[in-house]
PDB file of all heavy atoms in Angstrom:
ATOM      1  N   SER A 210       0.835  -1.199   0.000  1.00  0.00           N
ATOM      2  CA  SER A 210       0.000   0.000   0.000  1.00  0.00           C
ATOM      3  C   SER A 210       0.870   1.249   0.000  1.00  0.00           C
ATOM      4  O   SER A 210       0.443   2.309  -0.448  1.00  0.00           O
ATOM      5  CB  SER A 210      -0.937  -0.002   1.196  1.00  0.00           C
ATOM      6  OG  SER A 210      -0.199   0.007   2.399  1.00  0.00           O
ATOM      7  N   THR A 211       2.102   1.135   0.474  1.00  0.00           N
ATOM      8  CA  THR A 211       3.031   2.271   0.436  1.00  0.00           C
ATOM      9  C   THR A 211       3.336   2.641  -1.005  1.00  0.00           C
ATOM     10  O   THR A 211       3.390   3.821  -1.345  1.00  0.00           O
ATOM     11  CB  THR A 211       4.334   1.925   1.173  1.00  0.00           C
ATOM     12  OG1 THR A 211       4.023   1.501   2.494  1.00  0.00           O
ATOM     13  CG2 THR A 211       5.266   3.105   1.223  1.00  0.00           C
ATOM     14  N   SER A 212       3.514   1.642  -1.857  1.00  0.00           N
ATOM     15  CA  SER A 212       3.770   1.901  -3.267  1.00  0.00           C
ATOM     16  C   SER A 212       2.572   2.574  -3.926  1.00  0.00           C
ATOM     17  O   SER A 212       2.735   3.480  -4.737  1.00  0.00           O
ATOM     18  CB  SER A 212       4.102   0.600  -3.984  1.00  0.00           C
ATOM     19  OG  SER A 212       4.306   0.835  -5.356  1.00  0.00           O
ATOM     20  N   LEU A 213       1.368   2.135  -3.560  1.00  0.00           N
ATOM     21  CA  LEU A 213       0.156   2.765  -4.083  1.00  0.00           C
ATOM     22  C   LEU A 213       0.075   4.209  -3.627  1.00  0.00           C
ATOM     23  O   LEU A 213      -0.206   5.106  -4.425  1.00  0.00           O
ATOM     24  CB  LEU A 213      -1.089   1.996  -3.635  1.00  0.00           C
ATOM     25  CG  LEU A 213      -2.427   2.641  -3.992  1.00  0.00           C
ATOM     26  CD1 LEU A 213      -2.578   2.754  -5.502  1.00  0.00           C
ATOM     27  CD2 LEU A 213      -3.570   1.843  -3.395  1.00  0.00           C
ATOM     28  N   ALA A 214       0.346   4.459  -2.349  1.00  0.00           N
ATOM     29  CA  ALA A 214       0.303   5.826  -1.821  1.00  0.00           C
ATOM     30  C   ALA A 214       1.338   6.700  -2.528  1.00  0.00           C
ATOM     31  O   ALA A 214       1.069   7.864  -2.843  1.00  0.00           O
ATOM     32  CB  ALA A 214       0.548   5.819  -0.321  1.00  0.00           C
ATOM     33  N   TYR A 215       2.511   6.155  -2.786  1.00  0.00           N
ATOM     34  CA  TYR A 215       3.556   6.888  -3.494  1.00  0.00           C
ATOM     35  C   TYR A 215       3.107   7.245  -4.910  1.00  0.00           C
ATOM     36  O   TYR A 215       3.258   8.387  -5.354  1.00  0.00           O
ATOM     37  CB  TYR A 215       4.834   6.065  -3.538  1.00  0.00           C
ATOM     38  CG  TYR A 215       5.948   6.721  -4.318  1.00  0.00           C
ATOM     39  CD1 TYR A 215       6.696   7.745  -3.759  1.00  0.00           C
ATOM     40  CD2 TYR A 215       6.239   6.320  -5.624  1.00  0.00           C
ATOM     41  CE1 TYR A 215       7.712   8.354  -4.473  1.00  0.00           C
ATOM     42  CE2 TYR A 215       7.240   6.922  -6.344  1.00  0.00           C
ATOM     43  CZ  TYR A 215       7.976   7.939  -5.764  1.00  0.00           C
ATOM     44  OH  TYR A 215       8.971   8.547  -6.486  1.00  0.00           O
ATOM     45  N   THR A 216       2.543   6.278  -5.611  1.00  0.00           N
ATOM     46  CA  THR A 216       2.093   6.501  -6.989  1.00  0.00           C
ATOM     47  C   THR A 216       0.994   7.559  -7.040  1.00  0.00           C
ATOM     48  O   THR A 216       1.031   8.460  -7.881  1.00  0.00           O
ATOM     49  CB  THR A 216       1.583   5.182  -7.606  1.00  0.00           C
ATOM     50  OG1 THR A 216       2.622   4.217  -7.549  1.00  0.00           O
ATOM     51  CG2 THR A 216       1.152   5.384  -9.042  1.00  0.00           C
ATOM     52  N   VAL A 217       0.029   7.459  -6.135  1.00  0.00           N
ATOM     53  CA  VAL A 217      -1.055   8.444  -6.091  1.00  0.00           C
ATOM     54  C   VAL A 217      -0.500   9.819  -5.730  1.00  0.00           C
ATOM     55  O   VAL A 217      -0.889  10.833  -6.315  1.00  0.00           O
ATOM     56  CB  VAL A 217      -2.152   8.001  -5.099  1.00  0.00           C
ATOM     57  CG1 VAL A 217      -3.154   9.108  -4.868  1.00  0.00           C
ATOM     58  CG2 VAL A 217      -2.851   6.747  -5.607  1.00  0.00           C
ATOM     59  N   GLY A 218       0.443   9.861  -4.804  1.00  0.00           N
ATOM     60  CA  GLY A 218       1.059  11.131  -4.418  1.00  0.00           C
ATOM     61  C   GLY A 218       1.779  11.794  -5.576  1.00  0.00           C
ATOM     62  O   GLY A 218       1.692  13.012  -5.756  1.00  0.00           O
ATOM     63  N   VAL A 219       2.487  10.999  -6.367  1.00  0.00           N
ATOM     64  CA  VAL A 219       3.202  11.547  -7.522  1.00  0.00           C
ATOM     65  C   VAL A 219       2.212  12.092  -8.553  1.00  0.00           C
ATOM     66  O   VAL A 219       2.417  13.173  -9.117  1.00  0.00           O
ATOM     67  CB  VAL A 219       4.124  10.479  -8.152  1.00  0.00           C
ATOM     68  CG1 VAL A 219       4.652  10.926  -9.503  1.00  0.00           C
ATOM     69  CG2 VAL A 219       5.272  10.162  -7.207  1.00  0.00           C
ATOM     70  N   GLU A 220       1.120  11.368  -8.784  1.00  0.00           N
ATOM     71  CA  GLU A 220       0.099  11.839  -9.732  1.00  0.00           C
ATOM     72  C   GLU A 220      -0.532  13.153  -9.254  1.00  0.00           C
ATOM     73  O   GLU A 220      -0.768  14.067 -10.036  1.00  0.00           O
ATOM     74  CB  GLU A 220      -0.984  10.781  -9.924  1.00  0.00           C
ATOM     75  CG  GLU A 220      -0.533   9.562 -10.696  1.00  0.00           C
ATOM     76  CD  GLU A 220      -0.188   9.872 -12.145  1.00  0.00           C
ATOM     77  OE1 GLU A 220      -0.864  10.724 -12.763  1.00  0.00           O
ATOM     78  OE2 GLU A 220       0.768   9.275 -12.639  1.00  0.00           O
ATOM     79  N   MET A 221      -0.809  13.242  -7.951  1.00  0.00           N
ATOM     80  CA  MET A 221      -1.405  14.459  -7.402  1.00  0.00           C
ATOM     81  C   MET A 221      -0.431  15.632  -7.491  1.00  0.00           C
ATOM     82  O   MET A 221      -0.823  16.755  -7.791  1.00  0.00           O
ATOM     83  CB  MET A 221      -1.830  14.235  -5.948  1.00  0.00           C
ATOM     84  CG  MET A 221      -2.968  13.248  -5.787  1.00  0.00           C
ATOM     85  SD  MET A 221      -4.464  13.739  -6.678  1.00  0.00           S
ATOM     86  CE  MET A 221      -4.929  15.186  -5.769  1.00  0.00           C
ATOM     87  N   LEU A 222       0.843  15.380  -7.242  1.00  0.00           N
ATOM     88  CA  LEU A 222       1.860  16.427  -7.367  1.00  0.00           C
ATOM     89  C   LEU A 222       1.945  16.911  -8.805  1.00  0.00           C
ATOM     90  O   LEU A 222       2.058  18.118  -9.052  1.00  0.00           O
ATOM     91  CB  LEU A 222       3.210  15.902  -6.902  1.00  0.00           C
ATOM     92  CG  LEU A 222       4.374  16.886  -6.975  1.00  0.00           C
ATOM     93  CD1 LEU A 222       4.107  18.110  -6.103  1.00  0.00           C
ATOM     94  CD2 LEU A 222       5.661  16.205  -6.560  1.00  0.00           C
ATOM     95  N   ASP A 223       1.866  15.998  -9.765  1.00  0.00           N
ATOM     96  CA  ASP A 223       1.903  16.368 -11.181  1.00  0.00           C
ATOM     97  C   ASP A 223       0.730  17.280 -11.529  1.00  0.00           C
ATOM     98  O   ASP A 223       0.901  18.301 -12.195  1.00  0.00           O
ATOM     99  CB  ASP A 223       1.877  15.102 -12.042  1.00  0.00           C
ATOM    100  CG  ASP A 223       1.948  15.420 -13.526  1.00  0.00           C
ATOM    101  OD1 ASP A 223       2.825  16.220 -13.928  1.00  0.00           O
ATOM    102  OD2 ASP A 223       1.127  14.857 -14.285  1.00  0.00           O
ATOM    103  N   LYS A 224      -0.461  16.921 -11.060  1.00  0.00           N
ATOM    104  CA  LYS A 224      -1.645  17.744 -11.339  1.00  0.00           C
ATOM    105  C   LYS A 224      -1.530  19.104 -10.670  1.00  0.00           C
ATOM    106  O   LYS A 224      -1.923  20.129 -11.231  1.00  0.00           O
ATOM    107  CB  LYS A 224      -2.922  17.038 -10.882  1.00  0.00           C
ATOM    108  CG  LYS A 224      -3.218  15.787 -11.668  1.00  0.00           C
ATOM    109  CD  LYS A 224      -3.365  16.114 -13.134  1.00  0.00           C
ATOM    110  CE  LYS A 224      -3.475  14.855 -13.954  1.00  0.00           C
ATOM    111  NZ  LYS A 224      -3.491  15.148 -15.384  1.00  0.00           N
ATOM    112  N   SER A 225      -0.975  19.139  -9.459  1.00  0.00           N
ATOM    113  CA  SER A 225      -0.785  20.395  -8.748  1.00  0.00           C
ATOM    114  C   SER A 225       0.193  21.302  -9.487  1.00  0.00           C
ATOM    115  O   SER A 225      -0.020  22.513  -9.596  1.00  0.00           O
ATOM    116  CB  SER A 225      -0.277  20.110  -7.335  1.00  0.00           C
ATOM    117  OG  SER A 225       0.009  21.305  -6.660  1.00  0.00           O
ATOM    118  N   MET A 226       1.260  20.727 -10.012  1.00  0.00           N
ATOM    119  CA  MET A 226       2.229  21.514 -10.767  1.00  0.00           C
ATOM    120  C   MET A 226       1.623  22.066 -12.048  1.00  0.00           C
ATOM    121  O   MET A 226       1.887  23.208 -12.430  1.00  0.00           O
ATOM    122  CB  MET A 226       3.461  20.672 -11.066  1.00  0.00           C
ATOM    123  CG  MET A 226       4.294  20.384  -9.831  1.00  0.00           C
ATOM    124  SD  MET A 226       5.667  19.256 -10.126  1.00  0.00           S
ATOM    125  CE  MET A 226       6.666  20.180 -11.268  1.00  0.00           C
ATOM    126  N   GLU A 227       0.789  21.278 -12.724  1.00  0.00           N
ATOM    127  CA  GLU A 227       0.108  21.752 -13.928  1.00  0.00           C
ATOM    128  C   GLU A 227      -0.815  22.920 -13.599  1.00  0.00           C
ATOM    129  O   GLU A 227      -0.870  23.916 -14.335  1.00  0.00           O
ATOM    130  CB  GLU A 227      -0.692  20.625 -14.568  1.00  0.00           C
ATOM    131  CG  GLU A 227       0.135  19.584 -15.260  1.00  0.00           C
ATOM    132  CD  GLU A 227      -0.715  18.456 -15.832  1.00  0.00           C
ATOM    133  OE1 GLU A 227      -1.949  18.594 -15.901  1.00  0.00           O
ATOM    134  OE2 GLU A 227      -0.124  17.420 -16.197  1.00  0.00           O
ATOM    135  N   LEU A 228      -1.546  22.811 -12.489  1.00  0.00           N
ATOM    136  CA  LEU A 228      -2.447  23.887 -12.071  1.00  0.00           C
ATOM    137  C   LEU A 228      -1.670  25.152 -11.748  1.00  0.00           C
ATOM    138  O   LEU A 228      -2.060  26.256 -12.154  1.00  0.00           O
ATOM    139  CB  LEU A 228      -3.279  23.448 -10.863  1.00  0.00           C
ATOM    140  CG  LEU A 228      -4.217  24.499 -10.279  1.00  0.00           C
ATOM    141  CD1 LEU A 228      -5.277  24.898 -11.304  1.00  0.00           C
ATOM    142  CD2 LEU A 228      -4.858  23.981  -9.009  1.00  0.00           C
ATOM    143  N   ASN A 229      -0.559  25.024 -11.033  1.00  0.00           N
ATOM    144  CA  ASN A 229       0.259  26.189 -10.700  1.00  0.00           C
ATOM    145  C   ASN A 229       0.816  26.846 -11.947  1.00  0.00           C
ATOM    146  O   ASN A 229       0.901  28.071 -12.024  1.00  0.00           O
ATOM    147  CB  ASN A 229       1.391  25.795  -9.757  1.00  0.00           C
ATOM    148  CG  ASN A 229       0.911  25.591  -8.342  1.00  0.00           C
ATOM    149  OD1 ASN A 229      -0.094  26.134  -7.934  1.00  0.00           O
ATOM    150  ND2 ASN A 229       1.642  24.779  -7.599  1.00  0.00           N
ATOM    151  N   GLN A 230       1.202  26.067 -12.941  1.00  0.00           N
ATOM    152  CA  GLN A 230       1.708  26.623 -14.192  1.00  0.00           C
ATOM    153  C   GLN A 230       0.616  27.408 -14.910  1.00  0.00           C
ATOM    154  O   GLN A 230       0.844  28.505 -15.399  1.00  0.00           O
ATOM    155  CB  GLN A 230       2.241  25.507 -15.102  1.00  0.00           C
ATOM    156  CG  GLN A 230       2.815  26.013 -16.406  1.00  0.00           C
ATOM    157  CD  GLN A 230       4.060  26.850 -16.204  1.00  0.00           C
ATOM    158  OE1 GLN A 230       4.908  26.519 -15.387  1.00  0.00           O
ATOM    159  NE2 GLN A 230       4.178  27.920 -16.953  1.00  0.00           N
ATOM    160  N   THR A 231      -0.588  26.854 -14.944  1.00  0.00           N
ATOM    161  CA  THR A 231      -1.716  27.538 -15.578  1.00  0.00           C
ATOM    162  C   THR A 231      -2.028  28.848 -14.871  1.00  0.00           C
ATOM    163  O   THR A 231      -2.234  29.883 -15.516  1.00  0.00           O
ATOM    164  CB  THR A 231      -2.960  26.628 -15.570  1.00  0.00           C
ATOM    165  OG1 THR A 231      -2.645  25.418 -16.248  1.00  0.00           O
ATOM    166  CG2 THR A 231      -4.137  27.300 -16.253  1.00  0.00           C
ATOM    167  N   LEU A 232      -2.052  28.820 -13.546  1.00  0.00           N
ATOM    168  CA  LEU A 232      -2.336  30.035 -12.774  1.00  0.00           C
ATOM    169  C   LEU A 232      -1.249  31.081 -12.959  1.00  0.00           C
ATOM    170  O   LEU A 232      -1.545  32.273 -13.079  1.00  0.00           O
ATOM    171  CB  LEU A 232      -2.500  29.693 -11.293  1.00  0.00           C
ATOM    172  CG  LEU A 232      -3.739  28.894 -10.925  1.00  0.00           C
ATOM    173  CD1 LEU A 232      -3.693  28.502  -9.453  1.00  0.00           C
ATOM    174  CD2 LEU A 232      -5.001  29.661 -11.234  1.00  0.00           C
ATOM    175  N   SER A 233       0.002  30.662 -12.998  1.00  0.00           N
ATOM    176  CA  SER A 233       1.084  31.634 -13.170  1.00  0.00           C
ATOM    177  C   SER A 233       1.070  32.233 -14.574  1.00  0.00           C
ATOM    178  O   SER A 233       1.354  33.417 -14.738  1.00  0.00           O
ATOM    179  CB  SER A 233       2.439  31.002 -12.862  1.00  0.00           C
ATOM    180  OG  SER A 233       2.736  29.984 -13.782  1.00  0.00           O
ATOM    181  N   ASP A 234       0.719  31.435 -15.577  1.00  0.00           N
ATOM    182  CA  ASP A 234       0.590  31.987 -16.937  1.00  0.00           C
ATOM    183  C   ASP A 234      -0.506  33.045 -16.983  1.00  0.00           C
ATOM    184  O   ASP A 234      -0.348  34.090 -17.615  1.00  0.00           O
ATOM    185  CB  ASP A 234       0.286  30.881 -17.943  1.00  0.00           C
ATOM    186  CG  ASP A 234       1.465  29.953 -18.186  1.00  0.00           C
ATOM    187  OD1 ASP A 234       2.599  30.323 -17.817  1.00  0.00           O
ATOM    188  OD2 ASP A 234       1.240  28.853 -18.737  1.00  0.00           O
ATOM    189  N   GLY A 235      -1.620  32.785 -16.296  1.00  0.00           N
ATOM    190  CA  GLY A 235      -2.709  33.755 -16.237  1.00  0.00           C
ATOM    191  C   GLY A 235      -2.296  35.024 -15.520  1.00  0.00           C
ATOM    192  O   GLY A 235      -2.660  36.132 -15.921  1.00  0.00           O
ATOM    193  N   MET A 236      -1.513  34.887 -14.446  1.00  0.00           N
ATOM    194  CA  MET A 236      -1.057  36.061 -13.707  1.00  0.00           C
ATOM    195  C   MET A 236      -0.115  36.907 -14.542  1.00  0.00           C
ATOM    196  O   MET A 236      -0.193  38.135 -14.543  1.00  0.00           O
ATOM    197  CB  MET A 236      -0.370  35.643 -12.414  1.00  0.00           C
ATOM    198  CG  MET A 236       0.050  36.827 -11.559  1.00  0.00           C
ATOM    199  SD  MET A 236       0.851  36.341 -10.037  1.00  0.00           S
ATOM    200  CE  MET A 236      -0.528  35.681  -9.147  1.00  0.00           C
ATOM    201  N   VAL A 237       0.774  36.257 -15.296  1.00  0.00           N
ATOM    202  CA  VAL A 237       1.695  36.990 -16.164  1.00  0.00           C
ATOM    203  C   VAL A 237       0.907  37.760 -17.213  1.00  0.00           C
ATOM    204  O   VAL A 237       1.180  38.934 -17.481  1.00  0.00           O
ATOM    205  CB  VAL A 237       2.713  36.033 -16.816  1.00  0.00           C
ATOM    206  CG1 VAL A 237       3.458  36.714 -17.949  1.00  0.00           C
ATOM    207  CG2 VAL A 237       3.667  35.500 -15.769  1.00  0.00           C
ATOM    208  N   LYS A 238      -0.094  37.123 -17.806  1.00  0.00           N
ATOM    209  CA  LYS A 238      -0.907  37.794 -18.823  1.00  0.00           C
ATOM    210  C   LYS A 238      -1.649  38.980 -18.221  1.00  0.00           C
ATOM    211  O   LYS A 238      -1.733  40.049 -18.821  1.00  0.00           O
ATOM    212  CB  LYS A 238      -1.885  36.804 -19.437  1.00  0.00           C
ATOM    213  CG  LYS A 238      -2.687  37.380 -20.582  1.00  0.00           C
ATOM    214  CD  LYS A 238      -3.496  36.313 -21.267  1.00  0.00           C
ATOM    215  CE  LYS A 238      -4.305  36.916 -22.373  1.00  0.00           C
ATOM    216  NZ  LYS A 238      -3.709  36.711 -23.674  1.00  0.00           N
ATOM    217  N   MET A 239      -2.191  38.812 -17.016  1.00  0.00           N
ATOM    218  CA  MET A 239      -2.903  39.892 -16.345  1.00  0.00           C
ATOM    219  C   MET A 239      -1.961  41.060 -16.057  1.00  0.00           C
ATOM    220  O   MET A 239      -2.323  42.222 -16.240  1.00  0.00           O
ATOM    221  CB  MET A 239      -3.519  39.377 -15.046  1.00  0.00           C
ATOM    222  CG  MET A 239      -4.320  40.405 -14.295  1.00  0.00           C
ATOM    223  SD  MET A 239      -5.134  39.727 -12.835  1.00  0.00           S
ATOM    224  CE  MET A 239      -3.741  39.136 -11.897  1.00  0.00           C
ATOM    225  N   MET A 240      -0.730  40.760 -15.628  1.00  0.00           N
ATOM    226  CA  MET A 240       0.234  41.823 -15.345  1.00  0.00           C
ATOM    227  C   MET A 240       0.659  42.537 -16.619  1.00  0.00           C
ATOM    228  O   MET A 240       0.858  43.755 -16.615  1.00  0.00           O
ATOM    229  CB  MET A 240       1.438  41.240 -14.615  1.00  0.00           C
ATOM    230  CG  MET A 240       1.110  40.787 -13.204  1.00  0.00           C
ATOM    231  SD  MET A 240       2.474  39.958 -12.388  1.00  0.00           S
ATOM    232  CE  MET A 240       3.605  41.316 -12.153  1.00  0.00           C
ATOM    233  N   GLU A 241       0.800  41.798 -17.712  1.00  0.00           N
ATOM    234  CA  GLU A 241       1.138  42.434 -18.982  1.00  0.00           C
ATOM    235  C   GLU A 241       0.037  43.380 -19.419  1.00  0.00           C
ATOM    236  O   GLU A 241       0.308  44.467 -19.939  1.00  0.00           O
ATOM    237  CB  GLU A 241       1.367  41.373 -20.057  1.00  0.00           C
ATOM    238  CG  GLU A 241       2.655  40.611 -19.904  1.00  0.00           C
ATOM    239  CD  GLU A 241       2.770  39.452 -20.882  1.00  0.00           C
ATOM    240  OE1 GLU A 241       1.766  39.115 -21.553  1.00  0.00           O
ATOM    241  OE2 GLU A 241       3.864  38.871 -20.962  1.00  0.00           O
ATOM    242  N   ASN A 242      -1.216  43.000 -19.215  1.00  0.00           N
ATOM    243  CA  ASN A 242      -2.334  43.854 -19.598  1.00  0.00           C
ATOM    244  C   ASN A 242      -2.455  45.071 -18.694  1.00  0.00           C
ATOM    245  O   ASN A 242      -2.957  46.110 -19.113  1.00  0.00           O
ATOM    246  CB  ASN A 242      -3.645  43.063 -19.580  1.00  0.00           C
ATOM    247  CG  ASN A 242      -3.723  42.064 -20.703  1.00  0.00           C
ATOM    248  OD1 ASN A 242      -3.037  42.186 -21.708  1.00  0.00           O
ATOM    249  ND2 ASN A 242      -4.559  41.054 -20.526  1.00  0.00           N
ATOM    250  N   SER A 243      -2.008  44.979 -17.459  1.00  0.00           N
ATOM    251  CA  SER A 243      -2.127  46.099 -16.546  1.00  0.00           C
ATOM    252  C   SER A 243      -1.121  47.206 -16.853  1.00  0.00           C
ATOM    253  O   SER A 243      -1.302  48.344 -16.450  1.00  0.00           O
ATOM    254  CB  SER A 243      -1.968  45.640 -15.096  1.00  0.00           C
ATOM    255  OG  SER A 243      -0.632  45.275 -14.842  1.00  0.00           O
ATOM    256  N   VAL A 244      -0.056  46.882 -17.589  1.00  0.00           N
ATOM    257  CA  VAL A 244       0.933  47.891 -17.947  1.00  0.00           C
ATOM    258  C   VAL A 244       0.330  48.899 -18.916  1.00  0.00           C
ATOM    259  O   VAL A 244       0.560  50.094 -18.814  1.00  0.00           O
ATOM    260  CB  VAL A 244       2.189  47.233 -18.558  1.00  0.00           C
ATOM    261  CG1 VAL A 244       3.153  48.265 -19.088  1.00  0.00           C
ATOM    262  CG2 VAL A 244       2.858  46.347 -17.519  1.00  0.00           C
TER     263      VAL A 244
END
């Protein structure tokens, strides 16, 4: 079950990183428009 928990944790981290990248791209675009 430790291996399962590790695999699920890695998948969740991957999704979290994708979400953070999307949010940061949106923030950069918003800052560019505010100039």
Side-chain angles (χ1 to χ4, degrees):
S210 62
T211 305
S212 178
L213 174 62
Y215 177 78
T216 303
V217 170
V219 168
E220 289 294 324
M221 293 301 293
L222 180 60
D223 181 48
K224 294 301 172 185
S225 176
M226 290 174 64
E227 287 178 13
L228 177 63
N229 284 335
Q230 181 66 41
T231 302
L232 291 174
S233 65
D234 290 344
M236 184 180 289
V237 167
K238 185 172 179 101
M239 182 176 60
M240 291 175 69
E241 287 173 350
N242 289 339
S243 71
V244 173

